[in-house]
Amino acid sequence: QQQVKQSPQSLIVQKGGISIINCAYENTAFDYFPWYQQFPGKGPALLIAIRPDVSEKKEGRFTISFNKSAKQFSLHIMDSQPGDSATYFCAATWNYGQNFVFGPGTRLSVLP
Amino acid sequence: DSGVTQTPKHLITATGQRVTLRCSPRSGDLSVYWYQQSLDQGLQFLIQYYNGEERAKGNILERFSAQQFPDLHSELNLSSLELGDSALYFCASSVEGTSTGEQFFGPGTRLTVL
């Protein structure tokens, strides 16, 4: 019940296309859903995050869509660029960050 | 720069040996997490400490141990090393009690066991 499922495992997108990564959870106690971006050889870093009382959050080309009833959330990268090529992890946390769960990750490759 | 430091950056050792990885959290962060990331794998949560006390345990092998010291830095000890222990080891820190508990990751230590 504390797992976060993530798909696809890998994704190849042409430059300018839309990248979509999906995550699902079971634990309704989760109250914060961040996405982390990791470049090769680097540590993950927070990209964007959302709370369950909001259905969508947009920051530049990155948008999180959240469906509380379906217990699903997704990351959309508009106008994908080769520099977006990285591994993306969705995550979920509750109890003021005392409990933190990462999804298995999606490796995104954006072709020039 | 996340403010989390990890040393050493690279470590090459032989099977059967023991190594210690060190992590200094961001100033003010009481929580430290350790993760293992093997090639093309996700983040495997190992263990979490909060203000010196073990808070949560993940898939940490019995050959591995960790501790958090009074100055809040943490060490991960890996013993009887095997080839399969070769991986990137990340430390992350967070401020608990906030509404997010965002984790800040260090640059990692790349361990190679020969």
Side-chain angles (χ1 to χ4, degrees), chain A residues 9 31-32 34 36 38 40-46 51 87 89 93 95-105 107, chain B residues 9 33 35 37 40-43 45 48 55 88 90 94-108 110:
Chain A
Q9 188 174 17
D31 57 14
Y32 183 69
Y36 282 76
Q38 183 184 27
K42 305 292 185 182
L46 180 66
R51 297 199 170 282
T87 299
F89 296 94
T93 181
N95 197 15
Y96 294 97
Q98 288 188 33
N99 301 277
F100 212 105
V101 178
F102 279 94
R107 174 173 283 188
Chain B
K9 191 172 183 178
Y33 306 77
Y35 294 88
Q37 187 174 43
D40 291 335
Q41 297 294 312
L43 294 164
F45 169 65
Q48 178 198 358
R55 168 68 68 82
L88 263 171
F90 288 105
S94 71
V95 177
E96 291 195 8
T98 66
S99 58
T100 65
E102 176 188 350
Q103 290 191 17
F104 295 86
F105 282 79
R110 183 175 292 280

Side-chain angles (χ1 to χ4, degrees), chain A residues 40-105:
Chain A
K42 305 292 185 182
L46 180 66
L47 179 65
I48 186 173
I50 197 169
R51 297 199 170 282
D53 54 347
V54 177
S55 62
E56 185 177 281
K57 183 174 181 180
K58 183 176 181 179
E59 290 184 2
R61 297 183 293 108
F62 299 90
T63 299
I64 301 178
S65 296
F66 191 87
N67 186 330
K68 188 173 182 178
S69 61
K71 292 185 282 188
Q72 295 175 349
F73 57 110
S74 59
L75 176 69
H76 296 239
I77 305 174
M78 310 299 290
D79 187 26
S80 298
Q81 300 296 312
D84 297 330
S85 298
T87 299
Y88 292 81
F89 296 94
C90 63
T93 181
W94 76 100
N95 197 15
Y96 294 97
Q98 288 188 33
N99 301 277
F100 212 105
V101 178
F102 279 94

